[in-house]
Amino acid sequence: MRSPLSPEMATQEVPLNETLAHLKTESETLKLKLEEERAKLHDVELHQVAEKVEGLGQFVMKTRRTLKGHGNKVLCMDWCKDKRRIVSSSQDGKVIVWDAFTTNKEHAVTMPCTWVMACAYAPSGCAVACGGLDNKCSVYPLSLDKNENLAAKKKSVAMHTNYLSACSFTNSDMQILTSSGDGTCALWDVESGQLLQSFHGHAADVLCLDLAPSETGNTFVSGGCDKKANVWDMRSGQCIQSFETHESDINSVRYYPSGDAFASGSDDATCRLYDLRADREVAIYSKESIIFGVSSVDFSLSGRLLFGGYNDYTINVWDVLKGTRVSILFGHENRVSTLRVSPDGTAFCTGSWDHTLRVWILMC
Amino acid sequence: MTIRTVRPDRGQHFHPRMHCLKKLEATVVEMQDPKTGVKGSEQKLNVTTIPHVIAGNDIIAWITNKMKVTQEEAGVFGTMLVAYGYVYPLQNHKKLVMCNDGSLYRFQTPYFWPKQNWFAEDSDYAIYLTKRNIRKKGMLEAYEQAHYNHLNEWLNHQWDFIVMQATEQYKAGKDRQKPDRVVLDCQERAYWIVNRPPRRTHSALDSSPERLINPKAEQKITFDQYRRMNIFYQQAIMRSKVKSSVSLGALVKFITTYKNHDPFLAPCLPSNPWQTDHDAYWTLNMRRVEVPTKMRVERWSFSLFELLTDLRGRDDFKIFLKKEFSGENLAFWEAAEELKWGASSSMSAKAETIFKTFLAPGAPRWINIDGRTMGLTVKGLDHPHRYVLEAAQTHVFMLMKKDTFFRYLKSPTYKDIQKKALNPEAHNFSPAQLEQNAQNRNPGIDPIILWQQDEEEKAKAAAASAPVDVKAMMSKIDRKK
C-alpha cells in the first residue's frame, strides 16, 4: 500500500521499511504466542477421549440409486429439505432437479456457461441457485408446470470477478452466500441482488463454504487454495478463526452437526477435524495408501461417521472419534466430485466426473 | 446454448495443485527397480518386439504387497497410475484402467510424466496432430479430427510455426530405428490420450478450470495486511478457549445422544425408504402429522434448538406456551428470525411491526427483557438493519433455553405427546413385496405444493388467532414484496 510520494515521504522511506520488517517479526511472535495459548488448553487427544466409546462394527454400504442423465462431469449436488429430491449441475452447463427416490428428472435448466461448479436447493423447495464460470450465482424459481421454460424467470443475484465455486442459501430463500475464485465470499439479498456483506481474507481462490447449524446461525466456514479454513462472522464480515494445517488446497468444508467443530477435505489426501471451542485441529483422517485428494466431505447425522469422496474414484468412511477408516466404497468410474448426506441422514449422494450420481445407504 | 469456444482470458492461468505427484513418482520409480520392482518381459507386437512389458495382475500384486492393502484398493491405485499417465495400456489404449488380469502395460518415459508447472499446450497438440497428418493422411480418429479442425481455426495465426515444427519432428522420426519409433509412437499416443482424452476416456489430467491465483507464488504481504493479521492474532489470543477435554467431551456426548437416530448406525423404523422402496418413514415424519413418532418426540428433548428446528415440535411447544400464557417470547424470536433472514426491502416494515407488537410501552405482546437491552434495541430500531434485534433475540432465546424448555419437558403437554407417539413396527418385506415396492415407488408431493399449503395454513392461523400471529404477518410482508 504505497502512499503518494511527497517530499516528506521521501525522507520517511527508510523508516517505512523498518516498520514493515518490525510488523513481520511482531506477526511471527504473535503467531507463536497463539500456538502457545492453544497448546496450554490441550490436555487430551480425541482418540483418548474416544477410548471409552464403543467401537463400530462392520459396515455394508451399497448404491441404491444411480442417476444417469448428465452428458458430462457432475460437479455439484444438493438435497432438497424433503429428503428425496436433489439438484445437480455439470460441466456442460446443465442443471437437473431429480426425485432421487423414483429417479425421475423433474426439471432441467441449461446455463449459458460451462462448468457449473455450484448449485444449491432453496429451503422452501421452490427454487434452485447455480453458477460457475459465468462468475454469477443465479436463482431459478421452479414450477409445477413441466413445460414452463425456467430460464425465463431466472434471477441474477451474485456477481463476482471470477468463477463461482460454491453457493448456499441461508435459513430462507431470501439470502445466498457465495464463494469465488476471486478470493472472496459474499452474502447477497436474492430479491434485489444487493451485496449485503463481503468477506475478505483468503489469499487465493476460495473453493468451498458451509453455514453453521447453530441456534445463532451467524457464522460460516470457508476453505481455499491458500490452505486455510476461515470461520467468519456474517454480521461484521470479520474472520473470527483461522486454521492453517493442511498441506494443499482445501476442497471441502463441512460443519459437525452440533456446530462446535468442522471437517475439511484437501488435495493433500487428508480430512481433518477442527474443534472451534478449543480453537485447534483435533484429528487427521489419513492413511499411507491414500494419496489422492479429497474432493468433498460430510458427516452422518450423529457426527460419528465422516464420508469423504476422493479423486481416486473411491469413498472412504471414517470413524470420527477413533480416527480409523471403517469402510471403502467402490463404484464410480471417475473422480467423486461432490458428496452430501441427506437432510434426515438416511442416505448420502455422490456426484462424479463419470457423469452419474449415486445414492448410498447402510444395508440392514 | 451459447458455450463460448474461444477462450476469454479471465486471468486464471494456474493449474490446480496436484499434491499426489511426488508420492506417485516415488512409487513408480520403485516399481521400476530391477531387483524389487515389477517383473517385465518382452512382447511381440506385429513384427516388432516391445521390451519391458508388464502384466496388470503383476502390477496389482506388487502394489498389494508393497502398500499392504486389499487387491481392490491396489486395483484402484493401479488405475490411477494409468489415469495419470505413468503407466499406459498396450491393448485397448483408450481405457485408462488397470485390469487385474494378463492385460499388458508399459511404464511411460519420464519425459511424458505429468508435472505441476508444465502442462500440454494446445500448440503442442496441434503439432502432434499435424505430424500424424503429414505421416499419413486420414490417420486421425474422428475426435482427433474435430480437435484438429478446431485448433486450426483458433491457432491459425501460429499455423506456419506449427507446420514447421511438425515437419521437423516427422523428419527426425524417420531417422530413428523402427523399434524405437514404434515405442516412441506408443508413448506419445499414450501421453495425448491422457492429456486430451477422447469422450469416454477417464483421465486424471482432465482437470477443472484453472485457478486465478498462483499457489506457488511467494506471497508479498503488505504493510496493511500485516497490521490486519496482527490484530487478528491479538484477538485470537484474547478469545476465551475451552479445554480440549471439555470440548472433545461435548463432541462425544453429542454422538452418544444421537447414536440411535443416525440411520447409518441404527435402523430407522419402519424401514429406510431407500432400502425397501417404501416411503412410510417419510410419511410418518412429515411436517404436519397429527401424531409424531416416538423417535421424533425423543429428539425434541435433546435441545431447544432441535425442538424449534422441527416445526412439528415447535407447534407442540406453542401449545404448552399457550397454556402458560407465555407465547410472546417465542413469537418475538420467530419475528426476529423472519427479520434476520428476510428480504432487505421488507425490513423497515417488519421492524415497525415488531416494535408495535413486542417492544413499545403497553404493546399487546410486550416481552420482558432487561432495561439495558430494551433501550439499545429500541434505539437501534430508529435505523433498522437485519441484526438490530440480535441482543434481544439472544436474551429471549437464553430465557427459553434455560427455563421454559425444561418446564416444557416436565409438562403434561410433553408427557401427553410422548404417550401418544407412534412406535412403528419394522417392515418385513418378502423379496416379492420388495419387487412390488420397487415398481410402485410413491412420487410423493411436490415441495412447491407443500409450500403453498404451508402458506395457506399460516394465513388461516393469522386470521384465526388473537393476538396477531406475527410470524405469518411477517412472511406475508415478504411474499407481497
Side-chain angles (χ1 to χ4, degrees):
Chain A
M1 299 253 123
R2 290 191 140 228
S3 16
L5 274 176
S6 60
E8 300 88 61
M9 286 287 139
T11 50
Q12 281 178 19
E13 189 104 1
V14 171
L16 206 70
N17 282 343
E18 274 185 4
T19 330
L20 191 73
H22 175 79
L23 274 182
K24 187 171 179 202
T25 346
E26 194 186 335
S27 187
E28 274 149 28
T29 322
L30 283 173
K31 195 170 177 193
L32 281 169
K33 180 124 201 290
L34 178 59
E35 285 310 314
E36 263 175 46
E37 291 293 314
R38 282 173 170 169
K40 274 190 205 160
L41 294 168
H42 183 54
D43 55 346
V44 74
E45 296 285 343
L46 180 58
H47 63 84
Q48 288 173 294
V49 176
E51 262 159 33
K52 322 176 219 140
V53 182
E54 217 178 280
L56 294 170
Q58 281 291 345
F59 282 93
V60 177
M61 294 190 205
K62 293 219 163 96
T63 302
R64 289 298 290 172
R65 299 286 188 277
T66 304
L67 303 176
K68 297 191 184 163
H70 277 292
N72 216 307
K73 306 181 177 71
V74 177
L75 304 176
C76 186
M77 60 82 44
D78 191 19
W79 288 91
C80 174
K81 287 230 160 50
D82 77 347
K83 311 151 191 174
R84 48 186 287 171
R85 281 172 175 75
I86 62 171
V87 62
S88 60
S89 63
S90 75
Q91 184 192 352
D92 59 4
K94 284 238 169 25
V95 176
I96 301 179
V97 175
W98 319 69
D99 175 1
F101 189 61
T102 56
T103 70
N104 291 338
K105 295 189 202 38
E106 301 209 324
H107 308 271
V109 172
T110 307
M111 294 275 285
C113 72
T114 56
W115 287 95
V116 187
M117 295 178 263
C119 64
Y121 222 120
S124 69
C126 299
V128 293
C130 48
L133 281 188
D134 58 351
N135 301 1
K136 299 195 209 139
C137 184
S138 312
V139 174
Y140 290 83
L142 300 174
S143 163
L144 286 170
D145 176 3
K146 300 300 171 204
N147 293 322
E148 186 172 332
N149 177 15
L150 295 178
K153 294 220 187 93
K154 159 180 158 174
K155 196 185 292 181
S156 239
V157 175
M159 283 278 272
H160 278 280
T161 54
N162 218 289
Y163 65 88
L164 190 84
S165 53
C167 66
S168 172
F169 282 89
T170 60
N171 284 7
S172 78
D173 288 13
M174 307 292 168
Q175 290 167 26
I176 287 192
L177 192 59
T178 59
S179 67
S180 165
D182 65 12
T184 68
C185 299
L187 181 65
W188 310 82
D189 178 63
V190 173
E191 196 189 45
S192 60
Q194 187 195 7
L195 173 68
L196 298 173
Q197 183 65 260
S198 66
F199 306 89
H200 298 261
H202 277 289
D205 310 33
V206 186
L207 298 179
C208 50
L209 59 82
D210 191 34
L211 277 149
S214 69
E215 48 211 32
T216 43
N218 287 331
T219 59
F220 73 95
V221 61
S222 66
C225 290
D226 57 355
K227 313 176 200 171
K228 286 209 199 122
N230 291 340
V231 180
W232 307 86
D233 180 341
M234 277 163 73
R235 297 165 294 176
S236 60
Q238 294 299 315
C239 172
I240 50 181
Q241 279 174 284
S242 184
F243 303 91
E244 192 175 353
T245 59
H246 271 294
E247 292 168 21
S248 189
D249 305 355
I250 297 178
N251 296 315
S252 171
V253 284
R254 193 73 64 212
Y255 269 95
Y256 188 80
S258 72
D260 290 329
F262 71 91
S264 60
S266 158
D267 195 45
D268 66 6
T270 65
C271 300
R272 293 172 197 238
L273 185 68
Y274 298 91
D275 182 338
L276 291 170
R277 291 163 72 201
D279 197 25
R280 62 194 332 264
E281 172 194 282
V282 293
I284 305 181
Y285 305 102
S286 67
K287 253 176 170 277
E288 273 283 328
S289 56
I290 300 177
I291 69 169
F292 299 98
V294 188
S295 62
S296 51
V297 294
D298 204 355
F299 287 98
S300 70
L301 190 138
S302 65
R304 182 68 192 266
L305 298 176
L306 180 67
F307 302 104
Y310 287 70
N311 290 344
D312 63 359
Y313 318 174
T314 64
I315 295 146
N316 285 293
V317 185
W318 302 90
D319 179 337
V320 171
L321 296 182
K322 309 240 183 217
T324 54
R325 181 185 64 189
V326 294
S327 193
I328 176 169
L329 305 173
F330 308 94
H332 278 297
E333 293 171 14
N334 202 328
R335 77 162 73 165
V336 178
S337 52
T338 177
L339 187 156
R340 297 293 297 260
V341 172
S342 75
D344 63 355
T346 51
F348 70 88
C349 180
T350 52
S352 161
W353 282 17
D354 68 2
H355 311 357
T356 68
L357 292 124
R358 283 171 178 244
V359 178
W360 308 75
I361 63 161
L362 175 78
M363 297 296 283
C364 295
Chain B
M1 182 157 79
T2 52
I3 295 182
R4 298 183 207 158
T5 44
V6 178
R7 328 269 180 81
D9 184 358
R10 295 192 179 87
Q12 294 149 238
H13 301 300
F14 303 102
H15 223 47
R17 246 192 279 252
M18 291 183 284
H19 194 262
C20 54
L21 292 186
K22 221 163 103 185
K23 287 200 191 136
L24 269 178
E25 272 186 27
T27 312
V28 173
V29 167
E30 275 183 69
M31 280 172 82
Q32 292 183 74
D33 184 288
K35 289 203 205 79
T36 56
V38 186
K39 296 285 173 279
S41 62
E42 284 187 344
Q43 281 287 330
K44 264 203 143 86
L45 180 74
N46 300 333
V47 280
T48 354
T49 311
I50 309 215
H52 308 304
V53 172
I54 39 183
N57 46 20
D58 286 338
I59 300 175
I60 290 180
W62 187 90
I63 298 171
T64 310
N65 191 19
K66 176 83 182 166
M67 295 178 80
K68 312 227 187 317
V69 292
T70 63
Q71 273 216 338
E72 261 189 304
E73 286 173 78
V76 162
F77 192 83
T79 295
M80 292 312 286
L81 286 174
V82 183
Y84 270 95
Y86 287 100
V87 168
Y88 61 91
L90 289 179
Q91 306 132 318
N92 207 351
H93 63 277
K94 283 196 212 152
K95 198 145 191 266
L96 301 179
V97 291
M98 179 75 67
C99 302
N100 195 0
D101 53 24
S103 303
L104 302 174
Y105 300 85
R106 281 194 93 239
F107 288 108
Q108 178 63 284
T109 175
Y111 180 75
F112 283 139
W113 284 359
K115 290 174 186 59
Q116 180 64 57
N117 291 325
W118 181 71
F119 35 104
E121 298 277 353
D122 280 330
S123 48
D124 292 331
Y125 193 42
I127 294 169
Y128 168 69
L129 292 175
T130 311
K131 178 174 66 176
R132 284 184 48 208
N133 245 351
I134 294 174
R135 180 182 304 162
K136 188 172 167 197
K137 276 232 164 357
M139 225 175 106
L140 295 181
E141 295 199 35
Y143 80 93
E144 290 176 312
Q145 190 63 51
H147 272 295
Y148 179 83
N149 296 340
H150 177 66
L151 289 169
N152 193 352
E153 208 183 292
W154 86 278
L155 280 183
N156 205 279
H157 54 285
Q158 284 185 305
W159 209 253
D160 288 336
F161 170 74
I162 288 170
V163 172
M164 183 183 78
Q165 286 288 311
T167 322
E168 289 280 321
Q169 288 188 15
Y170 170 64
K171 286 195 195 138
K174 282 220 286 196
D175 292 335
R176 285 198 194 94
Q177 297 277 3
K178 175 123 196 263
D180 289 340
R181 220 188 315 142
V182 169
V183 166
L184 181 61
D185 282 349
C186 256
Q187 290 172 339
E188 210 180 7
R189 179 181 69 175
Y191 175 77
W192 286 112
I193 294 271
V194 167
N195 282 279
R196 293 287 186 276
R199 190 164 153 69
R200 288 182 210 295
T201 299
H202 299 301
S203 155
L205 292 187
D206 188 13
S207 74
S208 36
E210 284 146 16
R211 300 274 154 83
L212 177 61
I213 296 154
N214 186 355
K216 295 215 175 232
E218 267 300 315
Q219 221 199 323
K220 284 219 172 67
I221 308 176
T222 63
F223 190 86
D224 220 48
Q225 281 176 308
Y226 269 125
R227 276 233 305 268
R228 262 188 263 136
M229 265 164 69
N230 291 351
I231 294 173
F232 172 79
Y233 284 136
Q234 279 163 345
Q235 286 177 337
I237 291 168
M238 296 303 294
R239 186 184 317 117
S240 62
K241 298 179 218 350
V242 167
K243 269 197 284 189
S244 286
S245 50
V246 172
S247 58
L248 293 177
L251 292 184
V252 174
K253 181 153 184 262
F254 186 92
I255 289 177
T256 319
T257 312
Y258 284 81
K259 189 166 62 170
N260 294 331
H261 294 254
D262 187 340
F264 277 93
L265 298 178
C268 45
L269 299 169
S271 68
N272 187 331
W274 301 101
Q275 177 155 0
T276 56
D277 289 316
H278 194 289
D279 66 347
Y281 182 70
W282 289 331
T283 335
L284 290 171
N285 286 299
M286 287 188 78
R287 156 79 183 89
R288 289 177 192 282
V289 284
E290 179 77 38
V291 186
T293 62
K294 276 210 167 15
M295 291 296 273
R296 192 174 184 179
V297 173
E298 185 189 82
R299 208 165 149 178
W300 297 346
S301 69
F302 292 164
S303 69
L304 178 60
F305 180 61
E306 281 287 349
L307 178 64
L308 294 182
T309 314
D310 183 352
L311 295 175
R312 178 66 184 80
R314 204 190 288 194
D315 286 345
D316 207 59
F317 192 46
K318 281 184 189 164
I319 296 173
F320 166 71
L321 291 173
K322 201 164 175 192
K323 293 206 177 115
E324 293 225 322
F325 300 101
S326 59
E328 68 278 356
N329 279 344
L330 183 60
F332 175 73
W333 183 86
E334 286 187 321
E337 285 284 286
E338 284 274 324
L339 180 74
K340 203 157 60 165
W341 306 116
S344 291
S345 54
S346 61
M347 264 196 316
S348 348
K350 284 184 183 171
E352 210 182 302
T353 315
I354 291 179
F355 178 74
K356 284 207 193 108
T357 318
F358 299 99
L359 302 168
R365 304 195 80 177
W366 191 78
I367 53 160
N368 196 353
I369 53 175
D370 67 282
R372 189 169 168 273
T373 315
M374 179 65 92
L376 280 168
T377 311
V378 171
K379 192 152 173 248
L381 281 168
D382 274 339
H383 303 281
H385 56 90
R386 57 188 62 245
Y387 302 111
V388 67
L389 297 174
E390 197 70 7
Q393 190 184 1
T394 313
H395 181 100
V396 159
F397 189 85
M398 281 303 155
L399 232 128
M400 289 195 291
K401 184 174 171 177
K402 301 211 159 118
D403 177 53
T404 330
F405 177 58
F406 291 108
R407 281 192 289 112
Y408 164 70
L409 292 180
K410 294 197 200 106
S411 72
T413 316
Y414 184 66
K415 301 237 185 282
D416 195 41
I417 197 82
Q418 270 182 312
K419 239 186 286 169
K420 277 206 208 127
L422 302 171
N423 204 358
E425 280 213 13
H427 281 148
N428 197 351
F429 293 119
S430 67
Q433 284 172 315
L434 287 174
E435 212 16 78
Q436 268 265 310
N437 290 349
Q439 307 287 356
N440 304 322
R441 290 175 190 153
N442 191 349
I445 309 175
D446 196 309
I448 302 174
I449 297 178
L450 281 173
W451 181 81
Q452 286 171 344
Q453 286 177 348
D454 226 38
E455 291 296 292
E456 280 170 22
E457 284 290 329
K458 276 198 236 170
K460 270 195 228 153
S465 77
V468 160
D469 183 341
V470 190
K471 184 171 201 279
M473 170 154 297
M474 307 288 263
S475 31
K476 208 168 164 193
I477 296 172
D478 246 334
R479 304 290 169 233
K480 247 197 219 154
K481 300 262 168 151

